[in-house]
Structure formats: C-alpha cells, structure tokens
Amino acid sequence: MQMDGDLEFGNEYRDWGNPFKFGTTATGYHRNIFGVGPALLWTPFFVITHVVALIGHKLGLMPTLDGMSRFHQAGTFYGTLLYAWLAVLLCYHIARRVAGRRVALWAALGAALAGPLPCYVLTWASFTHAHAAFASSLMILLWLRWRGNWTTLRWVIFGASVGLLVLVRPACFPFVALPVIEGARAGVAALRAGKLREAAAPLLGGIAALVVFSPQMIIWKIYYGDLFLAPQGEGFMWWSQSAWYSTLFSPRNGLFPWAPLMIVALVGLGIVAWRRPRLGLPLWVIFIALAVVNGAVADWWGWGFSSRRYTAALPIFTLGLAVALRALRDRLAARPQRTAAWITGLAILGAVVFNLQWMRNFSRRNMTWTGVHSTEGMYMTTTHSLVDRAYSVVGNPVSLPASLAF
C-alpha cells in the first residue's frame, strides 16, 4: 500500500510470485491471509529503510526502489529484532514484579532463549511471533501493575493493548479471557459498592480493544465481505478434533520435547495458581485455551522450528519460570545442608549408573579397550546406551505421561 497505493496484491503476485497459489476472493481481490498488525508495526522500519534507499539511489548505490529488494527486507525485519528485545525487557519487569530482581533476568532470558522465539527473530524474521510476544508481554505487564487499582484511563489503555495483541496475531484471541475475567471481577466489585461509573469502565476498555483491532476487520470486510473470519478458509480450524495434546507432547514440534524448560515454567505457574489463585488461574485459562486453539489448527505442528504458536505465551512462561526459580532459591537458602546432601547423593548415583552401564557395554562386547579411539567416543557410547534404555522404558521423559502410551 505504501508503494502502489492500493490493497490489491495481483501485481505483487505477478511480479514476485505466488507461492501459496492464492486466488481471488468473493469481493474480487486477490487473497491474502496475513494480518495488518505486523505490517503496521513494521511500517516505521520500512519507511526509514526506503528513505535510505532513496538516498542510495540518488548516489547510484541502490538499483531498485520497488520496496521488495533484499535491502528493504533486511531493514524492515530489523524491526522484528527490536520487538523481540522489547518483549524480553517487558518480561524481565513481569518476573521482577512477581518474584523479585534476583531471578528476573534469568527467568526472562530462559523463557525467551530456550524456546522458539530466537528462530523467528534471527532466522525467519518475517514471521509475526516476535510481535505477538511483545504485545502479550505489554498486556500482561499492564495487568500486573494495575489489577486491583483500576481507573477509567487504565482500562482504556489496557483494552488497547489487548486489541494490539489480537491485531498483531488474531490467533492470540485466547488472551481476551484475561480482560474478561478481570473486567467481570472489577465490575461486580464496583456494582456492589454502588460505583456505576467504575463498573462501566471495563466496557470502555472493550471498546478501545475493538477500535485498535478495527483495521483488521476493515481489511477482512474489503477482502472477504466479513468482519470476523479465519482467512485461511473453513477447513483450517478443526474445533471438534483439537490435537492440543500433540502441541504439547509430540516430537513433531511439541512444546515440551522442543522446549523442556517450559515444563519448569508450568510447574512455577502451578505454584502461583496454588498460592495466589487470582493471579495464577487466569493465566492457566489463557494457556489452556491457547493449547486448544493451537491444536485445532489443521497444521497444528506449524511447519517450522519448535512450537512456534506458543511464542505469544512468553510472558506466562517467564512468570512461571521466575516463581519456580524463586521457590528453588528459597528452598536452597532454608535447608542448605539437606540440599547439599541431595546434590551429593544425586552426583554419586549418576556416577554409579554410568559406570554400571559402561560395565554392561563392556561385558556384552559393545565396547572394548581395543576399540576405543577416544574418551569422547567412549563417553558418548555409554551415554547413548543409557538414553536408549530410558527411551525404551518410558519414551521421551519430557513427553511424560503421553509417551507411556507408545
């Protein structure tokens, strides 16, 4: 739109290819399933890049100004890196607010770098997952700061952040559960106190969310004739056959096999739900709903690296991981002698198990001193045989309990 002034993609598909074989819609436009939100967030970077390209063209350094050059793409996608960095920064503040400064940085870095996010920043920066992580982190942080102390203005800003998240990635609509739960709680409390204006404030937040999301509704109306739809088509969502369990446990891009640290994060989220249910339970509602939605997608595995559709849950994982680390730190500080005994015992047990497996391999002629060419090979062979035995009994440990069925 910035380059040719229209919303029709026919000429772009003609000149640059149409890899998804998009046809035309009922309204006559060439189909485009991708959202408006990321394009809006990328716009400042594209404009700056194009200005630099114009200067370069004047100097004879830029052969094309069509907006599709590698230079334009690289400059625009630096925006993805910025939004990912902002997401991590916001997650740090989330963790610090819930679990304290000492564990906040490790929780934010662990949740961000031990999951799918780095791939969709450094390798496939054209995907929208970094933008979704940024928007969800902003929304969760605002909720943590303002819950229990709402004003009308805060509801409007919070609602706008919700609208931004769904605008960036409509598949993140499960996050809408949070403002619904919080709004109902605040509204009921205000009504009981006879404060009608405060009771209506969450509704203003909902209006703000719709206003921010409205560019996507307008585009859908122009392209497809409807305000709300899944532009991928009717067969894209299989609600009655959600493979939510596969999105969590499957070796085919399941969350736990590909990002095992998130298991620790969910343990921490469980601790939050137990100790502070008003804080933890709404986040569990979001996560469960997100799992159901991700599993209902026809290609639930996502065709990419790791469980990419869970990237928007970055602030939830950060919060859970921070609480788990805080609980571990507190336990270590409270019982240092017992903790040292456990660590020592586990280290000795590991050495014993390794040695017994080494002896087993040797006695079965799977490993002999004449065949050893390096200690690396010796250690790797023993380790591999231990892992193989564990897999033959329980399957992938991080896929438990689902792996027991196979």
mmCIF file of all heavy atoms in Angstrom, residues 108-140:
data_model
loop_
_atom_site.group_PDB
_atom_site.id
_atom_site.type_symbol
_atom_site.label_atom_id
_atom_site.label_comp_id
_atom_site.label_asym_id
_atom_site.label_seq_id
_atom_site.Cartn_x
_atom_site.Cartn_y
_atom_site.Cartn_z
ATOM 1 N N ALA A 108 13.560 -14.276 32.421
ATOM 2 C CA ALA A 108 13.241 -13.671 31.122
ATOM 3 C C ALA A 108 14.118 -14.254 30.022
ATOM 4 O O ALA A 108 13.625 -14.601 28.931
ATOM 5 C CB ALA A 108 13.406 -12.161 31.198
ATOM 6 N N LEU A 109 15.422 -14.376 30.289
ATOM 7 C CA LEU A 109 16.323 -14.931 29.271
ATOM 8 C C LEU A 109 16.037 -16.407 29.021
ATOM 9 O O LEU A 109 16.070 -16.868 27.862
ATOM 10 C CB LEU A 109 17.774 -14.744 29.719
ATOM 11 C CG LEU A 109 18.294 -13.314 29.755
ATOM 12 C CD1 LEU A 109 19.731 -13.279 30.252
ATOM 13 C CD2 LEU A 109 18.192 -12.656 28.382
ATOM 14 N N GLY A 110 15.741 -17.153 30.080
ATOM 15 C CA GLY A 110 15.462 -18.572 29.909
ATOM 16 C C GLY A 110 14.216 -18.815 29.091
ATOM 17 O O GLY A 110 14.216 -19.614 28.141
ATOM 18 N N ALA A 111 13.136 -18.121 29.432
ATOM 19 C CA ALA A 111 11.880 -18.309 28.697
ATOM 20 C C ALA A 111 12.011 -17.860 27.247
ATOM 21 O O ALA A 111 11.431 -18.474 26.343
ATOM 22 C CB ALA A 111 10.755 -17.543 29.397
ATOM 23 N N ALA A 112 12.788 -16.806 27.012
ATOM 24 C CA ALA A 112 12.917 -16.276 25.650
ATOM 25 C C ALA A 112 13.875 -17.087 24.792
ATOM 26 O O ALA A 112 13.576 -17.406 23.633
ATOM 27 C CB ALA A 112 13.371 -14.819 25.704
ATOM 28 N N LEU A 113 15.029 -17.442 25.345
ATOM 29 C CA LEU A 113 16.088 -18.052 24.532
ATOM 30 C C LEU A 113 16.039 -19.572 24.520
ATOM 31 O O LEU A 113 16.666 -20.188 23.655
ATOM 32 C CB LEU A 113 17.459 -17.581 25.030
ATOM 33 C CG LEU A 113 17.680 -16.068 25.009
ATOM 34 C CD1 LEU A 113 19.085 -15.731 25.474
ATOM 35 C CD2 LEU A 113 17.419 -15.498 23.617
ATOM 36 N N ALA A 114 15.320 -20.194 25.448
ATOM 37 C CA ALA A 114 15.205 -21.653 25.467
ATOM 38 C C ALA A 114 13.916 -22.121 24.814
ATOM 39 O O ALA A 114 13.532 -23.279 24.958
ATOM 40 C CB ALA A 114 15.279 -22.178 26.904
ATOM 41 N N GLY A 115 13.251 -21.249 24.100
ATOM 42 C CA GLY A 115 12.024 -21.579 23.396
ATOM 43 C C GLY A 115 12.146 -21.272 21.914
ATOM 44 O O GLY A 115 13.247 -21.101 21.383
ATOM 45 N N PRO A 116 11.032 -21.163 21.219
ATOM 46 C CA PRO A 116 11.075 -20.967 19.758
ATOM 47 C C PRO A 116 11.409 -19.546 19.316
ATOM 48 O O PRO A 116 11.741 -19.342 18.143
ATOM 49 C CB PRO A 116 9.648 -21.337 19.323
ATOM 50 C CG PRO A 116 8.808 -21.099 20.529
ATOM 51 C CD PRO A 116 9.673 -21.403 21.718
ATOM 52 N N LEU A 117 11.349 -18.553 20.207
ATOM 53 C CA LEU A 117 11.484 -17.157 19.797
ATOM 54 C C LEU A 117 12.747 -16.852 18.999
ATOM 55 O O LEU A 117 12.666 -16.169 17.960
ATOM 56 C CB LEU A 117 11.400 -16.248 21.026
ATOM 57 C CG LEU A 117 11.531 -14.743 20.751
ATOM 58 C CD1 LEU A 117 10.404 -14.252 19.864
ATOM 59 C CD2 LEU A 117 11.571 -13.956 22.060
ATOM 60 N N PRO A 118 13.960 -17.293 19.408
ATOM 61 C CA PRO A 118 15.163 -16.893 18.663
ATOM 62 C C PRO A 118 15.115 -17.243 17.180
ATOM 63 O O PRO A 118 15.601 -16.478 16.337
ATOM 64 C CB PRO A 118 16.291 -17.659 19.377
ATOM 65 C CG PRO A 118 15.779 -17.880 20.757
ATOM 66 C CD PRO A 118 14.300 -18.095 20.605
ATOM 67 N N CYS A 119 14.521 -18.396 16.847
ATOM 68 C CA CYS A 119 14.465 -18.795 15.437
ATOM 69 C C CYS A 119 13.653 -17.809 14.610
ATOM 70 O O CYS A 119 14.011 -17.502 13.467
ATOM 71 C CB CYS A 119 13.861 -20.198 15.325
ATOM 72 S SG CYS A 119 13.723 -20.795 13.620
ATOM 73 N N TYR A 120 12.581 -17.269 15.207
ATOM 74 C CA TYR A 120 11.689 -16.383 14.467
ATOM 75 C C TYR A 120 12.094 -14.917 14.612
ATOM 76 O O TYR A 120 11.339 -14.021 14.247
ATOM 77 C CB TYR A 120 10.249 -16.624 14.924
ATOM 78 C CG TYR A 120 9.856 -18.053 14.642
ATOM 79 C CD1 TYR A 120 9.911 -19.035 15.629
ATOM 80 C CD2 TYR A 120 9.528 -18.447 13.351
ATOM 81 C CE1 TYR A 120 9.610 -20.357 15.344
ATOM 82 C CE2 TYR A 120 9.231 -19.765 13.062
ATOM 83 C CZ TYR A 120 9.273 -20.709 14.056
ATOM 84 O OH TYR A 120 8.984 -22.024 13.759
ATOM 85 N N VAL A 121 13.295 -14.723 15.124
ATOM 86 C CA VAL A 121 13.911 -13.401 15.148
ATOM 87 C C VAL A 121 15.166 -13.386 14.285
ATOM 88 O O VAL A 121 15.361 -12.475 13.468
ATOM 89 C CB VAL A 121 14.273 -12.988 16.592
ATOM 90 C CG1 VAL A 121 14.992 -11.639 16.605
ATOM 91 C CG2 VAL A 121 13.026 -12.937 17.457
ATOM 92 N N LEU A 122 15.989 -14.416 14.425
ATOM 93 C CA LEU A 122 17.294 -14.440 13.768
ATOM 94 C C LEU A 122 17.290 -15.192 12.441
ATOM 95 O O LEU A 122 18.164 -14.967 11.617
ATOM 96 C CB LEU A 122 18.324 -15.084 14.717
ATOM 97 C CG LEU A 122 18.468 -14.408 16.083
ATOM 98 C CD1 LEU A 122 19.441 -15.191 16.959
ATOM 99 C CD2 LEU A 122 18.918 -12.966 15.925
ATOM 100 N N THR A 123 16.331 -16.088 12.244
ATOM 101 C CA THR A 123 16.305 -16.887 11.015
ATOM 102 C C THR A 123 15.099 -16.560 10.145
ATOM 103 O O THR A 123 15.249 -16.226 8.968
ATOM 104 C CB THR A 123 16.287 -18.393 11.363
ATOM 105 O OG1 THR A 123 17.430 -18.697 12.165
ATOM 106 C CG2 THR A 123 16.349 -19.239 10.093
ATOM 107 N N TRP A 124 13.907 -16.634 10.703
ATOM 108 C CA TRP A 124 12.668 -16.358 9.961
ATOM 109 C C TRP A 124 12.012 -15.112 10.539
ATOM 110 O O TRP A 124 10.966 -15.169 11.152
ATOM 111 C CB TRP A 124 11.729 -17.559 10.027
ATOM 112 C CG TRP A 124 12.239 -18.763 9.292
ATOM 113 C CD1 TRP A 124 13.170 -18.762 8.294
ATOM 114 C CD2 TRP A 124 11.875 -20.129 9.490
ATOM 115 N NE1 TRP A 124 13.404 -20.036 7.858
ATOM 116 C CE2 TRP A 124 12.624 -20.900 8.562
ATOM 117 C CE3 TRP A 124 10.995 -20.773 10.345
ATOM 118 C CZ2 TRP A 124 12.513 -22.283 8.488
ATOM 119 C CZ3 TRP A 124 10.877 -22.152 10.262
ATOM 120 C CH2 TRP A 124 11.623 -22.891 9.349
ATOM 121 N N ALA A 125 12.659 -13.988 10.299
ATOM 122 C CA ALA A 125 12.200 -12.734 10.898
ATOM 123 C C ALA A 125 10.918 -12.212 10.263
ATOM 124 O O ALA A 125 10.308 -11.278 10.781
ATOM 125 C CB ALA A 125 13.298 -11.667 10.783
ATOM 126 N N SER A 126 10.485 -12.803 9.150
ATOM 127 C CA SER A 126 9.245 -12.355 8.522
ATOM 128 C C SER A 126 8.018 -12.908 9.221
ATOM 129 O O SER A 126 6.897 -12.473 8.936
ATOM 130 C CB SER A 126 9.221 -12.776 7.049
ATOM 131 O OG SER A 126 9.266 -14.191 6.921
ATOM 132 N N PHE A 127 8.202 -13.875 10.140
ATOM 133 C CA PHE A 127 7.075 -14.374 10.918
ATOM 134 C C PHE A 127 6.689 -13.338 11.978
ATOM 135 O O PHE A 127 7.476 -12.457 12.321
ATOM 136 C CB PHE A 127 7.440 -15.703 11.586
ATOM 137 C CG PHE A 127 7.409 -16.884 10.647
ATOM 138 C CD1 PHE A 127 8.264 -16.956 9.556
ATOM 139 C CD2 PHE A 127 6.525 -17.929 10.858
ATOM 140 C CE1 PHE A 127 8.250 -18.037 8.697
ATOM 141 C CE2 PHE A 127 6.499 -19.024 10.014
ATOM 142 C CZ PHE A 127 7.351 -19.086 8.926
ATOM 143 N N THR A 128 5.485 -13.497 12.517
ATOM 144 C CA THR A 128 4.939 -12.461 13.400
ATOM 145 C C THR A 128 5.042 -12.810 14.882
ATOM 146 O O THR A 128 4.436 -12.142 15.721
ATOM 147 C CB THR A 128 3.451 -12.232 13.070
ATOM 148 O OG1 THR A 128 2.713 -13.455 13.329
ATOM 149 C CG2 THR A 128 3.284 -11.844 11.621
ATOM 150 N N HIS A 129 5.826 -13.828 15.232
ATOM 151 C CA HIS A 129 5.824 -14.299 16.613
ATOM 152 C C HIS A 129 6.510 -13.326 17.572
ATOM 153 O O HIS A 129 6.125 -13.220 18.739
ATOM 154 C CB HIS A 129 6.472 -15.681 16.679
ATOM 155 C CG HIS A 129 5.756 -16.683 15.834
ATOM 156 N ND1 HIS A 129 4.464 -17.081 16.096
ATOM 157 C CD2 HIS A 129 6.133 -17.348 14.708
ATOM 158 C CE1 HIS A 129 4.084 -17.965 15.185
ATOM 159 N NE2 HIS A 129 5.072 -18.135 14.341
ATOM 160 N N ALA A 130 7.531 -12.634 17.122
ATOM 161 C CA ALA A 130 8.179 -11.643 17.987
ATOM 162 C C ALA A 130 7.222 -10.500 18.311
ATOM 163 O O ALA A 130 7.180 -10.011 19.447
ATOM 164 C CB ALA A 130 9.445 -11.107 17.327
ATOM 165 N N HIS A 131 6.438 -10.078 17.327
ATOM 166 C CA HIS A 131 5.459 -9.019 17.554
ATOM 167 C C HIS A 131 4.412 -9.473 18.571
ATOM 168 O O HIS A 131 4.020 -8.705 19.466
ATOM 169 C CB HIS A 131 4.758 -8.650 16.247
ATOM 170 C CG HIS A 131 5.679 -8.348 15.108
ATOM 171 N ND1 HIS A 131 6.451 -9.319 14.504
ATOM 172 C CD2 HIS A 131 5.941 -7.186 14.453
ATOM 173 C CE1 HIS A 131 7.161 -8.763 13.539
ATOM 174 N NE2 HIS A 131 6.880 -7.480 13.495
ATOM 175 N N ALA A 132 3.977 -10.736 18.443
ATOM 176 C CA ALA A 132 2.979 -11.264 19.374
ATOM 177 C C ALA A 132 3.546 -11.356 20.780
ATOM 178 O O ALA A 132 2.850 -11.051 21.765
ATOM 179 C CB ALA A 132 2.499 -12.634 18.899
ATOM 180 N N ALA A 133 4.809 -11.780 20.907
ATOM 181 C CA ALA A 133 5.439 -11.858 22.227
ATOM 182 C C ALA A 133 5.536 -10.472 22.856
ATOM 183 O O ALA A 133 5.314 -10.303 24.068
ATOM 184 C CB ALA A 133 6.821 -12.496 22.110
ATOM 185 N N PHE A 134 5.869 -9.477 22.048
ATOM 186 C CA PHE A 134 5.937 -8.102 22.552
ATOM 187 C C PHE A 134 4.567 -7.633 23.033
ATOM 188 O O PHE A 134 4.424 -7.102 24.151
ATOM 189 C CB PHE A 134 6.460 -7.173 21.454
ATOM 190 C CG PHE A 134 6.099 -5.733 21.643
ATOM 191 C CD1 PHE A 134 6.669 -4.984 22.658
ATOM 192 C CD2 PHE A 134 5.172 -5.122 20.812
ATOM 193 C CE1 PHE A 134 6.325 -3.653 22.851
ATOM 194 C CE2 PHE A 134 4.817 -3.790 20.990
ATOM 195 C CZ PHE A 134 5.401 -3.053 22.008
ATOM 196 N N ALA A 135 3.537 -7.835 22.205
ATOM 197 C CA ALA A 135 2.203 -7.342 22.554
ATOM 198 C C ALA A 135 1.636 -8.069 23.771
ATOM 199 O O ALA A 135 1.023 -7.448 24.644
ATOM 200 C CB ALA A 135 1.265 -7.495 21.357
ATOM 201 N N SER A 136 1.823 -9.387 23.852
ATOM 202 C CA SER A 136 1.307 -10.133 25.010
ATOM 203 C C SER A 136 2.058 -9.740 26.283
ATOM 204 O O SER A 136 1.457 -9.657 27.359
ATOM 205 C CB SER A 136 1.418 -11.640 24.762
ATOM 206 O OG SER A 136 2.768 -12.052 24.632
ATOM 207 N N SER A 137 3.352 -9.493 26.173
ATOM 208 C CA SER A 137 4.131 -9.084 27.339
ATOM 209 C C SER A 137 3.681 -7.714 27.839
ATOM 210 O O SER A 137 3.576 -7.489 29.058
ATOM 211 C CB SER A 137 5.621 -9.060 26.996
ATOM 212 O OG SER A 137 6.071 -10.340 26.589
ATOM 213 N N LEU A 138 3.407 -6.819 26.912
ATOM 214 C CA LEU A 138 2.903 -5.495 27.303
ATOM 215 C C LEU A 138 1.566 -5.623 28.014
ATOM 216 O O LEU A 138 1.334 -5.001 29.060
ATOM 217 C CB LEU A 138 2.758 -4.617 26.053
ATOM 218 C CG LEU A 138 2.143 -3.235 26.265
ATOM 219 C CD1 LEU A 138 3.017 -2.387 27.189
ATOM 220 C CD2 LEU A 138 1.931 -2.534 24.924
ATOM 221 N N MET A 139 0.685 -6.440 27.474
ATOM 222 C CA MET A 139 -0.640 -6.619 28.063
ATOM 223 C C MET A 139 -0.552 -7.211 29.473
ATOM 224 O O MET A 139 -1.187 -6.715 30.423
ATOM 225 C CB MET A 139 -1.466 -7.533 27.166
ATOM 226 C CG MET A 139 -2.770 -7.996 27.744
ATOM 227 S SD MET A 139 -3.505 -9.289 26.736
ATOM 228 C CE MET A 139 -4.518 -10.126 27.968
ATOM 229 N N ILE A 140 0.259 -8.270 29.644
ATOM 230 C CA ILE A 140 0.380 -8.916 30.952
ATOM 231 C C ILE A 140 1.007 -7.973 31.970
ATOM 232 O O ILE A 140 0.597 -7.929 33.137
ATOM 233 C CB ILE A 140 1.209 -10.210 30.832
ATOM 234 C CG1 ILE A 140 0.496 -11.225 29.928
ATOM 235 C CG2 ILE A 140 1.467 -10.814 32.207
ATOM 236 C CD1 ILE A 140 -0.796 -11.742 30.458
#
